């Protein structure tokens, strides 16, 4: 019976639940699905992390390559993020060139990466004006159940902290790079941005961490990115229904508490790895 | 021979295996919720994920529909971070196209395609980490995913590689053994009837050695079958217990 009602009138179905301040999956409106992080799962990558946010699964692998820096910034390396939403993760994506959504998420993450200054690009310099590192950060969604941005940013953060680069020097005579020692150095991540997404339901109700179903019914979405210093790194609200200032403030507040939770979770995961 | 010794005097391979020994296989079915069927397999350091969607309506153009059997759509892709060197094209290059085509043909032989006319089944495989035997791991993962999706098949399809190192036939070769230029033989088998659905051989191999290398490959496939079958049975027991308890 409930299943028929849900298929016939999905919005009304959700309204009945939201009236009682609960969601069909049993969560409260501000509750976020359980998050699982696994680090270093791919040994062919320099850094990797698998993140599960409820059913949404994202894997991030980072490959490092050598390249020449630009003339304008001879000391700076590059970080190139890319998000892939393959047809494997959900029936809504078709085989072919990257979907619009994948490109929008990629660009958003590139902006967050740049604005929050996660990586000091000068750390990636090997020889000024000659050789720098370029980090290709590929995030691939393996199971799509909504809120892919949050999962991508957590996986990127975890994978970047996991990156181990071999130490390389430039040979004076041949001007070619050579491996100095087999030990590799871990990278320092300067800032730890965490994003929290909300869906707006019926132009007024805010629900945190929407699932695929909720995203499809939502009249708008908001993503807030905050870092560990209490700074706002990005606030993304691409149109949709309008929100009052107090509602935005509420999102920002929730995002800070969520950010602290995730940073704690990551610290715990890395500590358990070192032991 | 300079460099690495592929087969020691005691008859052990570079990674410590005996010639007839498979790498450790770990697999799981039903890993994802969105897909109709999914599976994850690890064969040594090769890690592959497969998902199956369908049978469903034909997507993108009804003209592709086949009136007497299901349209099988396979896509093989390798993650950019799966290999030592970063892959610039994860899918769509010639190698992956070939793999996709082989996969489609392999499963066309195994799936009961006549049961779903004018429909489509999608099989997507993703190599997350590669260490030799990619195609075999993909076939094995896809078999589990198809079973998980509940699509009827004639039999399991099990695939395994074999090779000849210093006159000794070896099974399930790793990337290291693949890259030294020894002959590589890929066999995909329907284990119950012992029918070969795919057979591919690269590099040179003397015809006198064909039989023993092929035998080794077939033996490897049968061993793989044992492992896959056991994991399917465990999975089904687990699921039915869960259903019973609720």
């Amino acid at each position: 019976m409930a299943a028929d009602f849900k298929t016939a009138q999905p919005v009304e179905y959700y309204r009945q639940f939201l009236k009682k301040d609960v969601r069909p999956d049993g969560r409260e409106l501000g509750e976020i699905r359980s998050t699982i992080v696994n680090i270093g799962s791919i040994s062919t990558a320099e850094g990797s992390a698998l993140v599960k946010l409820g059913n949404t699964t994202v894997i991030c692998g980072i490959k490092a390559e050598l390249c020449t820096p630009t003339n304008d910034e001879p000391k700076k390396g590059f970080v190139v993020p890319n998000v892939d939403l393959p047809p494997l993760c959900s029936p809504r994506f078709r085989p072919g060139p990257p979907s619009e959504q994948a490109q929008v998420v990629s660009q958003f993450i590139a902006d967050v990466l740049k604005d929050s200054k996660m990586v000091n690009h000068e750390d990636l310099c090997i020889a000024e004006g000659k050789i720098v590192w370029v980090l290709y950060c590929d995030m691939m969604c393996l199971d799509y159940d909504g809120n892919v941005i949050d999962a991508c940013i957590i996986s990127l953060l975890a994978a970047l902290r996991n990156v181990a680069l071999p130490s390389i020097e430039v040979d004076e005579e041949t001007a070619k790079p050579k491996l100095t020692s087999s030990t590799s150095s871990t990278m320092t991540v300067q800032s730890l941005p965490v994003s929290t997404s909300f869906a707006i339901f019926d132009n007024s109700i805010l629900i945190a961490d929407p699932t695929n179903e909720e995203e499809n019914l939502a009249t708008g979405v908001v993503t807030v990115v905050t870092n560990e210093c209490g700074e706002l790194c990005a606030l993304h609200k691409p149109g949709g229904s309008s929100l009052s200032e107090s509602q935005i403030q509420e999102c920002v507040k929730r995002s800070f508490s969520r950010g602290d939770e995730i940073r704690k979770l990551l610290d715990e995961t890395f500590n358990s790895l070192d032991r | 021979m300079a460099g690495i010794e592929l087969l020691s005097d005691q008859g052990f391979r570079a990674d410590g295996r005996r010639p007839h020994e498979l790498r450790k296989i770990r697999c799981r079915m039903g890993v994802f919720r969105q897909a109709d069927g999914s599976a994850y397999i690890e064969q040594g350091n090769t890690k592959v994920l497969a998902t199956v969607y369908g049978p469903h309506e034909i997507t993108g153009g009804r003209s592709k529909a086949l009136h007497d059997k299901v349209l099988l759509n396979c896509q093989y892709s390798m993650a950019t971070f799966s290999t030592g060197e970063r892959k610039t094209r994860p899918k769509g290059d010639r190698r992956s196209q070939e793999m996709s085509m082989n996969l489609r043909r392999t499963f066309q032989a195994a799936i009961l395609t006549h049961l779903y006319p004018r429909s489509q089944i999608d099989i997507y495989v993703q190599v997350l980490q590669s260490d030799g035997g990619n195609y075999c791991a993909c076939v094995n993962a896809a078999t589990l995913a198809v079973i998980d999706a509940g699509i009827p098949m004639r039999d399991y399809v099990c695939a395994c590689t074999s090779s000849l190192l210093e006159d000794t036939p070896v099974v399930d070769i790793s990337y290291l053994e693949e890259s030294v230029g020894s002959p590589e033989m890929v066999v995909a088998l329907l284990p119950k009837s012992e029918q070969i659905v795919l057979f591919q051989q690269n590099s040179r191999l003397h015809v006198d050695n064909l039989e023993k290398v092929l035998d080794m490959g077939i033996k490897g496939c049968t061993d793989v079958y044992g492992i896959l079958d056991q994991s399917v049975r465990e999975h089904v027991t687990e699921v039915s217990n869960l259903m019973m308890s609720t």
Side-chain angles (χ1 to χ4, degrees), chain B residues 202-216:
Chain B
N202 319 327
S203 184
R204 290 186 305 168
L205 179 75
H206 195 277
V207 74
D208 291 350
N209 291 324
L210 179 69
E211 200 186 331
K212 57 180 182 181
V213 178
L214 182 59
D215 274 352
M216 199 50 140

Side-chain angles (χ1 to χ4, degrees), chain B residues 70-231:
Chain B
V70 70
L71 177 75
L72 209 56
N73 170 32
C74 295
Q75 195 181 66
Y76 169 93
S77 78
M78 283 178 88
T80 50
F81 45 79
S82 63
T83 48
E85 286 271 299
R86 188 182 117 96
K87 281 200 85 75
T88 43
R89 281 189 76 177
K91 54 183 173 258
D93 60 332
R94 228 185 256 185
R95 186 103 188 107
S96 343
Q97 296 280 26
E98 185 200 348
M99 291 289 205
S100 302
M101 196 179 71
N102 285 348
L103 212 58
R104 191 177 73 233
R105 292 188 173 161
T106 306
F107 278 91
Q108 234 153 22
I111 292 176
L112 298 178
T113 50
H114 62 275
L115 291 181
Y116 307 103
R118 289 181 286 277
S119 314
Q120 181 179 345
I121 296 174
D122 298 317
I123 300 176
Y124 299 115
V125 290
Q126 175 78 50
V127 179
L128 294 175
Q129 188 175 310
S130 132
D131 184 32
N134 292 345
Y135 181 74
C136 301
C138 285
V139 169
N140 298 335
T143 300
L144 291 181
V146 171
I147 294 173
D148 186 41
I151 296 168
M153 288 203 286
R154 277 188 188 87
D155 195 358
Y156 287 61
V157 203
C158 299
C160 193
T161 53
S162 55
S163 176
L164 192 71
L165 296 178
E166 293 162 26
D167 281 333
T168 314
V170 293
V171 78
D172 192 18
I173 57 174
S174 66
Y175 178 71
L176 181 78
E177 290 162 331
E178 230 173 61
S179 52
V180 291
S182 49
E184 184 196 7
M185 194 182 278
V186 182
V187 183
L189 190 78
L190 301 178
K192 283 241 172 68
S193 51
E194 294 224 340
Q195 300 248 354
I196 295 170
V197 281
L198 180 123
F199 179 78
Q200 203 174 24
Q201 202 243 302
N202 319 327
S203 184
R204 290 186 305 168
L205 179 75
H206 195 277
V207 74
D208 291 350
N209 291 324
L210 179 69
E211 200 186 331
K212 57 180 182 181
V213 178
L214 182 59
D215 274 352
M216 199 50 140
I218 289 176
K219 211 183 147 289
C221 290
T222 340
D223 290 347
V224 169
Y225 167 68
I227 296 166
L228 296 190
D229 190 50
Q230 197 194 350
S231 92

Side-chain angles (χ1 to χ4, degrees), chain A residues 148-163:
Chain A
V148 74
I149 291 187
D150 289 11
C152 281
I153 291 186
I154 300 171
S155 73
L156 176 66
L157 191 57
L160 274 174
R161 284 178 68 172
N162 179 240
V163 168

Side-chain angles (χ1 to χ4, degrees), chain A residues 40-46 52 55 57 59-63 65 84 86-91 93-96 136-140 142-145 212, chain B residues 31-35 45 47 49-51 53 56 59-60 73 75 78-88 90-91 122 124-130:
Chain A
S41 25
I42 304 290
S43 57
T44 45
E46 269 72 34
K52 281 195 89 151
N55 283 326
T57 313
I59 191 163
C60 177
I62 299 181
K63 289 294 286 180
E65 275 181 14
D84 193 12
L88 170 134
C89 70
S90 164
F93 302 115
R94 299 263 156 262
Y136 290 102
C137 312
D138 288 286
M139 285 151 274
M140 191 193 297
L142 301 177
D143 196 8
Y144 186 96
D145 192 18
N212 187 21
Chain B
V31 280
F32 295 132
R33 285 285 295 280
Q34 294 295 314
N45 285 324
K47 298 176 182 173
L49 197 65
T51 59
Y53 290 94
H56 56 76
T59 52
N73 170 32
Q75 195 181 66
M78 283 178 88
T80 50
F81 45 79
S82 63
T83 48
E85 286 271 299
R86 188 182 117 96
K87 281 200 85 75
T88 43
K91 54 183 173 258
D122 298 317
Y124 299 115
V125 290
Q126 175 78 50
V127 179
L128 294 175
Q129 188 175 310
S130 132

